[in-house]
Amino acid sequence: MSGVLVITEHKGGAWNRMSWEALAAGQQLAAESGQPLSAAIVGSELESLSGELASKKLEKGYRVEHALLKDYTADGYVSALEQLIRKLDPSFVVFPHTYQVRDFAPRLAARFGQVLLADLVGLRKAGDSFVFVRQLFQGKLNADYRHSGSGPCFLSVQAGAFRAESLESGSAAIEVFTPQLEATAIRNKPEAPFREAAQTVDLGSAPIIVSVGRGIKEQDNLPIVEELASALGAELAASRPICDNGWLPMERQVGSSGQTVSPKLYLAV
């Protein structure tokens, strides 16, 4: 058992930005463990997306392709990825911590008698093993975890915890992997994709954010903050009390019950 395998995610012909963050975590894990890095994309008709994957620093990329994987189903993804993982026998399997991953990855890990160490914010080498860090009580505490057992270690990384900008470029070969799937084994029926929110703005990709909290005291003071955000070319965000009061729309909320953000500059007012 050797290697780091990153499972990427896409939707509507476009990458989920968290795929690159998970790949950045995979590159760090591979470098510190001295193991080769590979990555996989799952679906159907993946030529254009896999070409972009090949431009990253990888040992190899995998196109897990099948007509039954065109639309996401937990049954299809679990069966297909189980076959790929058993073929590659990696030490670590890394995912972005998305709604889709939360749906299927715990069951995939259970196929190998493992658990999913979910929503990690950091990792570090400690002797001959790794320590993985995740937050508890809405970020008030950090908890350290170590993997035990003989199977692969399944991990998902929190949005913004690893920087996509740190990704190293390269040139990797892409191999098509065709899993054995039967339509009768897929019990789920795909429906319209789940939307995290009907957002007018994606705060998660904003490089500069000006966020306002209850310290603003009155709604009449909001124009001051809006003017500051405009001057900085920033997106305006808010804490939960501001949105609960209806001073700003819910899609502007950041935090544990709002959007997870990772800007280069975050100014809290």
Side-chain angles (χ1 to χ4, degrees):
M1 185 167 63
S2 177
V4 178
L5 173 64
V6 177
I7 308 299
T8 61
E9 184 174 312
H10 61 96
K11 184 184 297 183
W15 287 103
N16 184 321
R17 65 179 183 84
M18 288 179 61
S19 291
W20 304 129
E21 296 174 6
L23 194 57
Q27 286 187 346
Q28 179 184 337
L29 191 56
E32 295 185 11
S33 65
Q35 299 188 40
L37 174 66
S38 58
I41 180 173
V42 184
S44 178
E45 300 175 0
L46 301 172
E47 291 86 352
S48 60
L49 288 175
S50 61
E52 191 171 357
L53 185 64
S55 68
K56 310 304 179 185
K57 185 180 179 181
L58 302 168
E59 185 81 11
K60 183 177 282 191
Y62 293 90
R63 278 169 46 192
V64 184
E65 290 220 32
H66 198 285
L68 293 174
L69 297 172
K70 182 177 181 180
D71 296 311
Y72 166 75
T73 62
D75 283 340
Y77 270 52
V78 168
S79 179
L81 288 172
E82 179 186 6
Q83 294 174 49
L84 178 67
I85 292 169
R86 294 200 185 280
K87 173 187 175 182
L88 301 181
D89 197 24
S91 302
F92 303 95
V93 183
V94 183
F95 306 87
H97 191 70
T98 63
Y99 278 104
Q100 183 170 290
V101 165
R102 292 180 225 184
D103 185 47
F104 78 86
R107 197 169 98 200
L108 176 62
R111 293 280 180 96
F112 293 83
Q114 303 296 316
V115 299
L116 174 69
L117 293 177
D119 211 17
L120 301 179
V121 297
L123 61 90
R124 64 180 185 272
K125 187 81 177 292
D128 295 330
S129 63
F130 280 87
V131 173
F132 302 101
V133 184
R134 64 189 302 267
Q135 295 180 326
L136 303 176
F137 302 112
Q138 297 184 344
K140 292 181 176 64
L141 294 175
N142 281 355
D144 290 348
Y145 293 80
R146 292 178 186 264
H147 174 254
S148 62
S150 57
C153 178
F154 290 82
L155 315 164
S156 69
V157 297
Q158 186 178 106
F162 295 85
R163 308 298 300 197
E165 293 88 346
S166 68
L167 266 179
E168 296 184 62
S169 299
S171 179
I174 302 294
E175 178 181 321
V176 177
F177 177 80
T178 305
Q180 300 298 313
L181 298 177
E182 298 291 339
T184 54
I186 298 179
R187 301 162 297 174
N188 321 96
K189 292 185 178 180
E191 295 186 357
F194 176 77
R195 295 182 63 188
E196 297 187 24
Q199 298 167 356
T200 58
V201 60
D202 179 15
L203 295 176
S205 62
I208 306 175
I209 291 176
V210 174
S211 184
V212 59
R214 70 175 78 220
I216 199 69
K217 294 185 178 180
E218 298 176 359
Q219 187 175 7
D220 291 343
N221 292 329
L222 273 177
I224 301 172
V225 184
E226 291 171 341
E227 185 179 351
L228 174 61
S230 177
L232 293 173
E235 290 290 353
L236 183 65
S239 62
R240 182 169 182 170
I242 301 299
C243 296
D244 283 348
N245 286 336
W247 296 358
L248 285 174
M250 296 302 295
E251 60 260 29
R252 295 284 177 179
Q253 183 182 332
V254 295
S256 58
S257 53
Q259 295 192 53
T260 300
V261 299
S262 56
K264 295 180 178 178
L265 174 63
Y266 183 92
L267 182 57
V269 180

